[in-house]
Amino acid sequence: AQSVTQLGSHVSVSEGALVLLRCNYSSSVPPYLFWYVQYPNQGLQLLLKYTSAATLVKGINGFEAEFKKSETSFHLTKPSAHMSDAAEYFCAVSDPLNNDMRFGAGTRLTVKP
Amino acid sequence: EAGVAQSPRYKIIEKRQSVAFWCNPISGHATLYWYQQILGQGPKLLIQFQNNGVVDDSQLPKDRFSAERLKGVDSTLKIQPAKLEDSAVYLCASSLVAGGANTGELFFGEGSRLTVL
């Protein structure tokens, strides 16, 4: 079965600074990878996904992530943080054959003015 | 396009009572999931349906949790009897499976928050 490890349960950056949220995965098959964002009292919203096409994936709100097979990583970045980016971010891995999706523990992003 | 609908949004019960949550997926989505999200943790898959068949229920505590998707559309998750540690948000999600491949993306409802006292 596949699994995800998110390094850092809390990340704090200043407004305008680089955002880097780390994700490493384990999968016995070529995976699909995802980043979701969750705002308080809401469900999960897809930021971006990797499904075996381009390894650099661009998502909504200026976020992007790069799939690195050799490092089994799928880190999320944004060049310049905005106050509205403060939320919980979840990395997820799924098996393309059956769409079995597993989530990491999440990283809470705080953006300081 | 309507999203994934869940109800109730909030439920408070005493331990040993029962509770049921309902989910209606996006129209045409063959796959339906129930996740449990405990405060401060990532969503944990409880059960995955493909149409009305179960794909994976390995993490469902079957002594107290049950789920069904009788007509391959909406689904109900039941907990009986509830324990304190069942306090969590129960998220329903659905995905489109098309022609043997799939788009991969899950669409989530807003969740049902359960508090067990």
Side-chain angles (χ1 to χ4, degrees):
Chain A
Q2 56 273 29
S3 65
V4 166
T5 301
Q6 291 185 241
L7 302 176
S9 58
H10 290 89
V11 170
S12 181
V13 300
S14 298
E15 191 172 19
L18 171 70
V19 175
L20 171 60
L21 304 182
R22 299 179 186 274
C23 171
N24 288 91
Y25 71 90
S26 173
S27 179
S28 57
V29 299
Y32 286 176
L33 293 160
F34 306 81
W35 277 98
Y36 281 85
V37 61
Q38 187 177 37
Y39 298 100
N41 298 316
Q42 295 187 23
L44 279 72
Q45 177 185 358
L46 182 70
L47 275 178
L48 49 80
K49 63 180 179 181
Y50 166 78
T51 56
S52 73
T55 57
L56 182 61
V57 180
K58 295 185 184 298
I60 62 171
N61 300 338
F63 285 94
E64 63 181 39
E66 186 172 8
F67 171 68
K68 292 187 176 180
K69 183 178 179 180
S70 60
E71 299 177 8
T72 61
S73 69
F74 190 59
H75 302 330
L76 181 71
T77 61
K78 182 175 180 177
S80 176
H82 192 272
M83 296 297 290
S84 61
D85 295 328
E88 188 89 18
Y89 291 81
F90 294 95
C91 182
V93 60
S94 79
D95 181 340
L97 296 179
N98 60 21
N99 233 13
D100 179 355
M101 184 175 289
R102 305 299 170 111
F103 287 82
T107 297
R108 180 170 299 278
L109 176 65
T110 301
V111 181
K112 299 175 292 185
Chain B
E1 178 180 82
V4 176
Q6 290 189 246
S7 67
R9 286 295 313 275
Y10 304 93
K11 188 74 176 179
I12 301 174
I13 61 173
E14 302 276 339
K15 60 183 179 183
R16 291 188 289 274
Q17 287 185 324
S18 63
V19 63
F21 301 110
W22 173 82
C23 172
N24 192 31
I26 293 173
S27 177
H29 280 196
T31 310
L32 184 147
Y33 311 73
W34 284 102
Y35 285 86
Q36 179 192 57
Q37 186 177 19
I38 293 172
L39 185 65
Q41 300 181 19
K44 169 189 163 185
L45 179 67
L46 292 176
I47 189 166
Q48 177 186 351
F49 292 97
Q50 178 77 15
N51 296 309
N52 60 352
V54 175
V55 174
D56 183 355
D57 64 356
S58 58
Q59 298 189 96
L60 186 73
K62 298 180 185 63
D63 58 333
R64 298 183 300 105
F65 285 65
S66 64
E68 60 184 13
R69 192 184 186 200
L70 292 177
K71 297 182 179 179
V73 181
D74 58 348
S75 175
T76 302
L77 175 71
K78 295 180 180 178
I79 307 174
Q80 181 179 12
K83 292 185 175 181
L84 296 177
E85 59 260 36
D86 298 331
S87 294
V89 176
Y90 291 87
L91 294 166
C92 179
S94 68
S95 70
L96 177 68
V97 179
N102 68 77
T103 65
E105 178 181 356
L106 269 61
F107 296 83
F108 283 84
E110 292 187 311
S112 294
R113 182 179 297 276
L114 173 66
T115 301
V116 182
L117 302 176

